[in-house]
């Protein structure tokens, strides 16, 4: 079930009414409704994978209880390994089986030996990369004694399958989300209203910015040999806004929807394209994943402690794993490695914690140094997204070669892309709104502080009209991160 679909427009109000008005409002009843609604939401795509998420849930539920009971170090470590093996094993089979098989075959071909392998026609379960990491965080935290294991199967199932963030995050920590399923929840109008604002902004990001950018970016990337350097650069720029609008739009809708039910999810995007260096970018982009790797991989490896060589090693491990998490393709691994290369100079100069506050703090406009730093970081980001979007390494290399050709400084022929100039104007307006709201949780959070009620509601109506006019309301386009 897609957030931008008629199905969800019917599903959400029905669940909301049942949750707040039709039940006895006990914690157990609300949790049970969340489980039933979440399994319906997930099964809407393919009911066959419901058994997969139920199996993963049951394994970590049992492992958590046994970890809590045991004091034997060897047994506890074995239980943790069991949990990790099941989750990573499921993820590895469904997502990486054919990739490893093809890479194995290619390696032998390079050595002059030919072998035949049989790939499988495997369907990637939606959201498996997200909920496996979420359940693993639970097992790891219980193992570390940071969290008490729960014996409430309904609450734990609700935590794993919570429908707003089930298929594309944020990847919630058990220490943050799970305890909320044991708290008495009362309807909070202000929280719900703020959730509706965030849902509205998420739909704008997805349907107006991301989907329109995707239309042009797909044409350019899929026919890259037909276009000159300036048009290819335009395609890379549009994909940069497509992936941000699409993914952060999903997170906004997920977080806003959670607020309607009295839950607080972590912020997943914090205006990353206003970052002044790569370290700041990764504190602002897909925060739930970057902090997951930081806490469960980077810090256990030694983090920023130890020798420079160890620090560099740890950075490369984290970014390569992040790239591999995104997909079974060498382009994602190169994308991760490229971001590691970007990050190393910041680390070596001990500047990786320099920008902890929002840009232009207390000012309306950035100064020249901040603007230059933001533009430089943005250009590096656009360059790396080319590898993320390319079909394979040959495509990425040919695309880059096409950009850095003698046609780079020509003006793109906008006549072959009707509506592209209008889209650029929409992106500019989108960036202005994001800039104004950069100190809040989402772009239009600043509107609620406008003193005149008429002006506030005029802006909300304008956003709704833009979704209706520029959004493709007749066709529900899947969110880009469903493929990961």
């Amino acid at each position: 079930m897609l957030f931008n679909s008629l199905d969800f427009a019917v599903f959400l109000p029905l669940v909301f009414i049942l949750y707040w008005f039709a039940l006895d409002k006990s914690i157990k009843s609300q949790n049970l409704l969340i489980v039933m609604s979440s399994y319906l939401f997930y099964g809407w795509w393919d009911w066959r994978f419901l058994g997969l998420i139920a199996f993963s849930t049951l394994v970590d539920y049992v492992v958590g209880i046994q970890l809590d009971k045991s004091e034997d170090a060897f047994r506890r470590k074995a239980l943790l390994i069991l949990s990790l093996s099941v989750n990573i094993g499921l993820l590895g089979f469904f997502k990486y089986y054919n990739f490893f098989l093809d890479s194995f075959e290619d390696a032998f071909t390079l050595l002059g030996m030919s072998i035949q392998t049989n790939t499988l026609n495997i369907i990637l379960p939606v959201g498996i990369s997200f909920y496996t990491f979420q359940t693993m965080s639970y097992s790891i935290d219980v193992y570390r004694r940071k969290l008490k294991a729960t014996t409430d199967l309904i609450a734990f199932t609700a935590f794993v399958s919570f429908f707003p963030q089930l298929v594309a995050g944020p990847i919630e920590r058990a220490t943050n989300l799970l305890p909320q399923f044991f708290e008495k929840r009362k309807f909070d109008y202000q929280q719900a209203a703020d959730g509706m604002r965030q849902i509205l902004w998420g739909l704008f990001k997805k349907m107006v910015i991301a989907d329109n950018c995707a239309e042009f970016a797909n044409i350019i990337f899929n026919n890259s040999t037909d276009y000159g350097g300036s048009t290819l650069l335009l395609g890379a720029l549009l994909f940069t806004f497509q992936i941000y609008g699409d993914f952060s739009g999903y997170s906004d809708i997920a977080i806003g929807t959670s607020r309607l039910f009295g839950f607080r999810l972590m912020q997943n995007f914090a205006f990353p394209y206003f970052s002044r260096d790569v370290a700041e970018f990764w504190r602002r982009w897909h925060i739930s994943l970057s902090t997951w790797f930081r806490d469960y991989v980077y810090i256990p490896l030694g983090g920023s402690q130890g020798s420079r060589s160890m620090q560099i090693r740890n950075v490369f491990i984290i970014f390569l794993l992040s790239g591999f998490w995104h997909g079974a393709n060498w382009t994602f691994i190169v994308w991760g490695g490229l971001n590691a290369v970007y990050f190393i100079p910041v680390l070596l100069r001990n500047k990786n914690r320099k920008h902890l506050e929002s840009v232009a703090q207390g000012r309306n406009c950035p100064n020249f140094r901040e603007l230059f730093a933001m533009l430089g970081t943005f250009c590096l980001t656009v360059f790396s997204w080319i590898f993320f979007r390319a079909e394979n390494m040959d495509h990425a290399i040919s695309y880059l070669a096409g950009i850095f050709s003698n046609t780079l400084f020509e003006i793109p022929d906008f006549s072959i892309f009707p509506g592209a100039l209008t889209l650029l104007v929409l992106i500019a307006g989108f960036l202005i709104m994001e800039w104004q709201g950069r100190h809040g949780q989402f772009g239009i959070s600043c509107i609620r502080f406008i003193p005149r009620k008429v002006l506030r509601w005029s802006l909300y109506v304008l956003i709704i009209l833009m979704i209706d006019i520029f959004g493709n309301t007749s066709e529900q386009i899947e969110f880009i991160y469903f493929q990961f």
Side-chain angles (χ1 to χ4, degrees):
M1 193 180 299
L2 298 172
F3 282 160
N4 53 327
S5 69
L6 180 61
D7 298 330
F8 188 74
V10 174
F11 169 84
L12 181 59
L14 285 176
V15 177
F16 179 84
I17 292 169
L18 289 172
Y19 185 85
W20 289 116
F21 304 108
L23 298 178
D24 59 10
K25 295 185 181 179
S26 68
I27 294 174
K28 188 170 286 292
S29 295
Q30 289 181 329
N31 289 346
L32 183 58
L33 178 64
I34 287 173
V35 171
M36 295 169 64
S37 303
S38 298
Y39 271 64
L40 174 63
F41 177 86
Y42 191 70
W44 209 261
W45 277 286
D46 195 327
W47 62 269
R48 293 172 296 177
F49 292 123
L50 289 173
L52 196 65
I53 190 172
F55 174 71
S56 181
T57 300
L58 190 59
V59 168
D60 286 302
Y61 171 75
V62 173
V63 166
I65 293 174
Q66 295 303 314
L67 281 170
D68 232 13
K69 288 180 178 179
S70 178
E71 296 295 333
D72 182 81
F74 178 81
R75 186 170 185 272
R76 298 187 81 249
K77 186 169 292 186
L79 286 166
L80 178 63
I81 291 172
L82 172 63
S83 171
L84 299 181
S85 298
V86 169
N87 285 291
I88 296 174
L90 290 173
L91 184 61
F93 175 76
F94 282 99
K95 193 169 183 177
Y96 302 107
Y97 176 85
N98 287 335
F99 171 77
F100 282 122
L101 211 61
D102 292 340
S103 298
F104 186 72
E105 185 176 329
D106 292 342
F108 272 86
T109 301
L110 288 174
L111 295 174
M113 295 177 283
S114 179
I115 61 171
Q116 296 296 322
T117 58
N118 295 317
T119 57
L120 300 177
N121 186 22
I122 300 173
I123 300 174
L124 181 66
V126 175
I128 190 171
S129 297
F130 292 87
Y131 70 72
T132 51
F133 269 43
Q134 187 155 308
T135 57
M136 280 195 292
S137 79
Y138 170 78
S139 298
I140 295 171
D141 285 341
V142 173
Y143 173 79
R144 293 176 173 178
R145 304 289 192 190
K146 288 185 175 181
L147 182 70
K148 189 79 174 172
T150 179
T151 57
D152 188 331
L153 181 58
I154 293 175
F156 184 73
T157 304
F159 156 72
V160 176
S161 63
F162 190 43
F163 74 88
Q165 46 87 228
L166 172 60
V167 295
I171 304 171
E172 274 295 337
R173 305 296 180 81
T175 50
N176 174 50
L177 182 56
L178 183 57
Q180 296 183 51
F181 287 100
F182 298 99
E183 298 172 357
K184 183 69 175 177
R185 298 181 285 276
K186 294 182 180 180
F187 181 74
D188 185 323
Y189 173 80
Q190 188 57 56
Q191 185 180 12
D194 214 36
M196 290 298 295
R197 294 186 190 95
Q198 193 159 4
I199 291 172
L200 178 63
W201 190 235
L203 288 171
F204 178 86
K205 283 181 176 181
K206 166 62 178 171
M207 299 175 69
V208 176
I209 301 300
D211 288 352
N212 284 291
C213 284
E215 180 181 351
F216 297 110
N218 289 341
I219 292 172
I220 295 171
F221 270 90
N222 294 340
N223 305 277
S224 56
T225 56
D226 299 338
Y227 301 114
S230 58
T231 303
L232 295 178
L233 182 60
L234 175 64
L237 183 67
L238 290 176
F239 177 73
T240 298
F241 285 104
Q242 176 199 346
I243 193 168
Y244 172 61
D246 198 291
F247 193 22
S248 69
Y250 186 97
S251 292
D252 280 335
I253 299 170
I255 296 168
T257 301
S258 300
R259 287 179 174 178
L260 295 179
F261 296 94
F263 289 90
R264 305 171 304 278
L265 300 187
M266 68 182 299
Q267 186 179 15
N268 209 20
F269 289 85
F271 313 98
Y273 289 161
F274 299 142
S275 301
R276 288 151 290 184
D277 58 41
V278 175
E280 184 183 9
F281 176 83
W282 282 105
R283 286 195 299 273
R284 296 178 176 275
W285 178 274
H286 201 174
I287 300 168
S288 63
L289 179 67
S290 58
T291 54
W292 197 100
F293 277 119
R294 179 198 66 195
D295 294 341
Y296 297 118
V297 181
Y298 184 68
I299 292 176
L301 285 173
S304 299
Q305 306 301 317
S307 65
R308 284 298 190 191
S309 61
M310 289 184 64
Q311 294 175 27
I312 293 172
R313 179 206 65 180
N314 295 343
V315 167
F316 269 97
I317 288 174
I318 289 301
F319 279 106
L320 291 175
L321 282 176
S322 178
F324 197 46
W325 177 90
H326 281 88
N329 195 321
W330 284 105
T331 54
F332 296 116
I333 296 174
V334 171
W335 169 79
L338 189 58
N339 276 279
V341 171
Y342 292 164
F343 192 92
I344 293 302
V346 182
L347 177 70
L348 294 178
R349 292 185 292 118
N350 294 318
K351 301 290 186 179
N352 52 311
R353 304 295 294 176
K354 180 179 179 181
H355 301 300
L356 297 178
E357 75 292 336
S358 296
V359 64
Q361 190 75 29
R363 291 177 278 116
N364 289 325
C365 298
N367 58 38
F368 178 78
R369 177 178 292 182
E370 289 172 328
L371 184 62
F372 182 78
M374 282 192 293
L375 288 174
T377 304
F378 181 75
C379 288
L380 291 175
T381 304
V382 172
F383 182 83
S384 65
W385 283 135
I386 293 172
F387 288 93
F388 197 95
R389 174 57 180 82
E391 298 297 326
N392 50 52
M393 284 303 300
D394 289 338
H395 184 205
I397 293 170
S398 66
Y399 196 98
L400 287 169
I403 288 179
F404 296 106
S405 63
N406 55 9
T407 58
L408 174 59
F409 298 103
E410 295 179 357
I411 298 176
D413 185 4
F414 287 103
S415 64
I416 61 178
F417 302 115
L421 286 174
T422 302
L423 177 57
L424 292 177
V425 172
L426 288 171
I427 291 173
F430 165 70
L431 286 174
I432 291 172
M433 183 58 74
E434 288 267 292
W435 177 262
Q436 292 299 319
R438 69 191 184 280
H439 301 310
Q441 292 290 308
F442 55 97
I444 61 171
S445 58
C446 57
I447 293 180
R448 61 177 292 196
F449 299 109
I450 296 176
R452 297 187 63 181
K453 187 176 181 179
V454 173
L455 181 56
R456 289 201 308 271
W457 279 101
S458 297
L459 289 172
Y460 293 138
V461 171
L462 177 62
I463 294 170
I464 293 170
L465 288 174
M466 292 177 73
I467 292 173
D468 183 58
I469 295 169
F470 298 105
N472 190 346
T473 54
S474 62
E475 179 185 357
Q476 291 82 46
I477 302 173
E478 282 196 350
F479 287 82
I480 196 170
Y481 260 66
F482 285 9
Q483 62 187 285
F484 305 130

